[in-house]
Amino acid sequence: MELPRSIPKVCEVELVRGAAAGAAAAPDLLLEVAHGATTAAHFDGLRAELRGDYDGSLRDFFFVNTDVGAPELAAAIARAVVAADPRRSALIVRCLVPRTFVDCNRRVDDDTIARAAKAGEMTPGLQPWVQLAADRALLLERYRAYRDAVTAAFAAVCGHGGTALCVHSYAPRSVDVAVDADVGKNLRLAYAPDRVGSWPLRAPVDLITHDPDGRALAAPRLTQLVQAELAAAGFEVAQNGAYSLHPVTLAHGFAVRYPARTLCFEVRRDLLVPEFVPFVELHTDAKKIAAAAAPFARALLADLG
């Protein structure tokens, strides 16, 4: 068994191993953060490498569409599990590729066409503003590198009887605008003070357990344990409230490949940061991260036995 390694500008991989964990044992837990590029430096660094003419408002789209707090939450869950049971180990894979250009939780092929998405549709894998061949080649190269790394991570953990969590965060409200050339302008209009309150408020935690046809794909016992622990901690929990586990996502493919070994979820971002403010870089609140991580860690420990 070979674990994936960190790849510059693609992903960070960390193994959190308990003091009593076997040196050669497969990790018990995988925490994947597919939208882990959450800082301005992530966006600005990739933007500087691309040759195309990209509208400045894409930075606004990045800040409201990336999973702020998810990397810190994943790390907190991993460390809490290992601290409570030093026999355990956890593998964390954080994507560093901003989904503003290519989404590393989508099925993207070499012949995938960059396209827009209507309001309410899944955001595309390759964004419509990526038109230059050189930019497309760079983005697909990094996408493939991430896909290969995370595929190896799932094989190393779930393929040896472990469990994977796909850790995401979402904006507090379901703000649906088309993902097209006007996305930045339309997001600014949608988040205007006199309009933002009209969008539906999302559940604090959403467990994404079923595909669009209603077929259950998540680990059933772990789902029940997580739901119970979150409720006991005072978190309202939905199942598939905002999203289902769509076949266009890599998470869906891993859930099918490793039945009852995965759980994908979203945590509302205002529960992970001091205050949710759109269009700016946000930083996490350590106490909020710890509070959100604790129920997941308790559920995982109970499931691991």
Side-chain angles (χ1 to χ4, degrees), residues 50-118:
L50 299 175
R51 301 178 185 179
D53 182 17
Y54 296 100
D55 189 273
S57 67
L58 290 181
R59 210 166 184 264
D60 289 343
F61 180 45
F62 168 75
F63 282 130
V64 298
N65 194 46
T66 197
D67 289 14
V68 176
E72 294 82 359
L73 179 60
I77 294 170
R79 286 169 171 72
V81 169
V82 170
D85 188 347
R87 299 172 300 165
R88 305 300 180 184
S89 60
L91 186 67
I92 306 169
V93 180
R94 176 185 184 177
C95 183
L96 302 177
V97 184
R99 65 186 301 206
T100 317
F101 298 100
V102 63
D103 192 327
C104 287
N105 188 36
R106 297 289 185 271
R107 296 177 181 271
V108 180
D109 301 316
D110 289 348
D111 60 353
T112 293
I113 298 173
R115 67 172 188 86
K118 297 178 182 178

Side-chain angles (χ1 to χ4, degrees), residues 28-62:
D28 303 283
L29 178 62
L30 167 64
L31 297 109
E32 187 217 4
V33 189
H35 300 145
T38 58
T39 69
H42 288 136
F43 177 88
D44 294 341
L46 179 57
R47 173 65 187 87
E49 292 187 79
L50 299 175
R51 301 178 185 179
D53 182 17
Y54 296 100
D55 189 273
S57 67
L58 290 181
R59 210 166 184 264
D60 289 343
F61 180 45
F62 168 75

